[in-house]
Every structure is written in structure tokens, then in C-alpha cells.
Amino acid sequence: MHDEGGTGVPILLLHGLMGSARTWRDQLEWLRGYGHVYTFDAAGHGRPAPTELTTEAFIDDLAAATAQITEPMVVIGHSMGGLHGWVFAARYPGRVRALVVEDIAPDFTGRTAANWAAMIEAWPPFPDERAVLDFFGPVAGRYFLNSFEQAADGYRLHGSVATFRAISEEWGTRDFWAQWKAITVPALLIEGEFTITPEGQMWQMALAHPDAAYVKIPNSGHLVHDDQPERYRAEVEQFLRRVLGK
């Protein structure tokens, strides 16, 4: 866990699959105005993965890493981080005071990551920053520059493709509706216009929750906070002002 500064209510930022704590760099300054900000590198992302690659194992790791934070947290998660945020809240309800979930849904059952994993395995080491940006484009390229590790032969993944695939494949074998429906803390659901989530599920999440707001942000893909940072900030700030009384 990384202490990013600020004072007051703890705010924990959780990154998406293949991401890292550094992918939140552009959000840190304004979030410090609302509390004490922490970022976190999920297991298997630049550090050892759990022995069992289940969501519950990742939540156990997250719970242990954040044990020193004794005050209930605002948890802000993107993609995998959003899922981990609400499963963490369901298992440890006294440790979470509010949730922001960005572009992830409870039910991907039946989906496979085989083709996606094969594509990732074909990625070469990228010799420099320009090569990463040229390959992925300016938005996803910056995301991966903030996630890759820099080795002698260039920029490369900071974890095993087999691990990333196993994380994703687990989502194809189960759903997380029960964990979502167990949560009662205030929640903000943010979906991209060009989303990876099954159609309508994030809206259904809002309908199933006693205190959830839902917004779809136009002209944004899966990386909503990077595609449309000003709109993302406006929505999150409005939510934080409500739940924190600021």
C-alpha cells in the first residue's frame, strides 16, 4: 500500500486488471482535498500472486494490507478494483463507508479470456515510451506506461499473463450479485459509453442497491477516468461531497 498524502477520511484507490497504483497519478491531487489518499498494487501485479487465484484470495490480501487503516474508508475502484472494492465491502462492512465502482459488472459467466491472453502473450518488450504510446494510443498507452516495468530490453508486463488470464477466467465461472446485494453503503456507479460490461448490468446494480447513483459518461471507453477525466472528477467530487458532508 502507498500513502499518497492528504488528511481526514481514508480514501483507497484500487486499479484494474494489469494496472498498478501508478495509474491513479492524475487523480491524486484533487482527491487529497477530500481525505487521506492511499493506493494499492493488487497481488500478482508487480508482487507475488496468491497461491489460489480466487477473488476471495485477493480480498484477503487487500484486507491484510490495509489493516492499519482503522477508520472506514471510501473505496474507489476501476474494473477489477471496483469488483474487489464491493466484495471487500461485503466481507468487511465496517471498514467501508462509501464506494465508487468504475466500469465493471457482477456477471461475466460463460466468457473466456483465451483469445485475449494469446494477444497479450504476443506483445513484445517495448523499447521506449514512444513505442508504448504508438502501439496502444495516448490513453491506453499512458495506462500501460504507468503499469509496465522497465527492464534492460524495454517496457514489459509487471506480472504473469497466466495470472492475469486466471483472474479473468474466474469471472467467467461465477457471478458476484450476492456480494453486491449485501452492500448498503452509498455507491456511485460509473460506466463508459463504450464499455466492456454486459449491457444493462450496471444500471441493474443501481436498481438493486438502496443508495446507489448511476452515470454513463459519453465518449469514454473502459478507462473512464483517463478518457474523460474532467467529467469523471465532477461525478466523483459530487458524490464525495454528499457522503462526506463537504
Side-chain angles (χ1 to χ4, degrees):
M1 187 172 64
H2 310 282
D3 187 335
E4 305 289 1
T7 59
V9 173
I11 300 173
L12 176 66
L13 306 180
L14 303 178
H15 64 78
L17 184 64
M18 297 194 298
S20 83
R22 298 191 306 274
T23 61
W24 292 109
R25 282 176 171 173
D26 292 342
Q27 285 72 43
L28 297 178
E29 183 175 357
W30 60 265
L31 280 169
R32 290 188 193 105
Y34 293 90
H36 192 156
V37 182
Y38 299 88
T39 57
F40 178 69
D41 290 304
H45 294 67
R47 61 190 187 86
T51 303
E52 294 185 3
L53 296 175
T54 64
T55 297
E56 286 74 16
F58 284 94
I59 299 308
D60 288 343
D61 178 78
L62 174 61
T66 58
Q68 68 192 68
I69 303 175
T70 56
E71 183 180 350
M73 300 176 284
V74 174
V75 179
I76 299 176
H78 166 244
S79 191
M80 178 187 75
L83 171 63
H84 288 179
W86 89 63
V87 176
F88 177 82
R91 292 185 66 183
Y92 302 96
R95 298 188 60 190
V96 177
R97 66 186 297 161
L99 282 168
V100 177
V101 176
E102 178 188 349
D103 216 59
I104 191 69
D107 189 354
F108 287 85
T109 54
R111 298 196 179 193
T112 176
N115 292 337
W116 164 84
M119 176 186 68
I120 294 171
E121 286 176 334
W123 290 352
F126 298 93
D128 51 34
E129 290 192 12
R130 175 47 54 192
V132 176
L133 295 171
D134 287 347
F135 189 86
F136 294 104
V139 175
R142 186 58 55 186
Y143 179 86
F144 282 115
L145 277 174
N146 284 329
S147 303
F148 286 169
E149 61 184 9
Q150 190 171 11
D153 57 351
Y155 290 88
R156 57 172 61 248
L157 283 169
H158 59 320
S160 161
V161 175
T163 296
F164 298 147
R165 175 177 175 173
I167 294 169
S168 181
E169 291 279 10
E170 187 217 14
W171 303 339
T173 67
R174 58 186 296 194
D175 70 70
F176 298 89
W177 275 114
Q179 293 90 337
W180 175 253
K181 291 177 180 179
I183 296 166
T184 59
V185 296
L188 172 63
L189 303 171
I190 298 176
E191 187 170 19
E193 180 180 4
F194 309 108
T195 179
I196 67 162
T197 64
E199 185 175 356
Q201 281 200 27
M202 293 198 76
W203 173 240
Q204 291 298 320
M205 290 170 71
L207 294 178
H209 190 287
D211 188 8
Y214 166 85
V215 60
K216 178 175 280 192
I217 297 186
N219 301 313
S220 64
H222 184 50
L223 298 168
V224 182
H225 61 282
D226 290 328
D227 272 334
Q228 296 294 335
E230 292 183 2
R231 179 68 188 279
Y232 175 87
R233 175 178 176 176
E235 296 292 345
V236 174
E237 286 194 309
Q238 181 181 23
F239 176 72
L240 291 177
R241 285 193 293 268
R242 177 173 76 84
V243 299
L244 301 178
K246 294 202 172 190

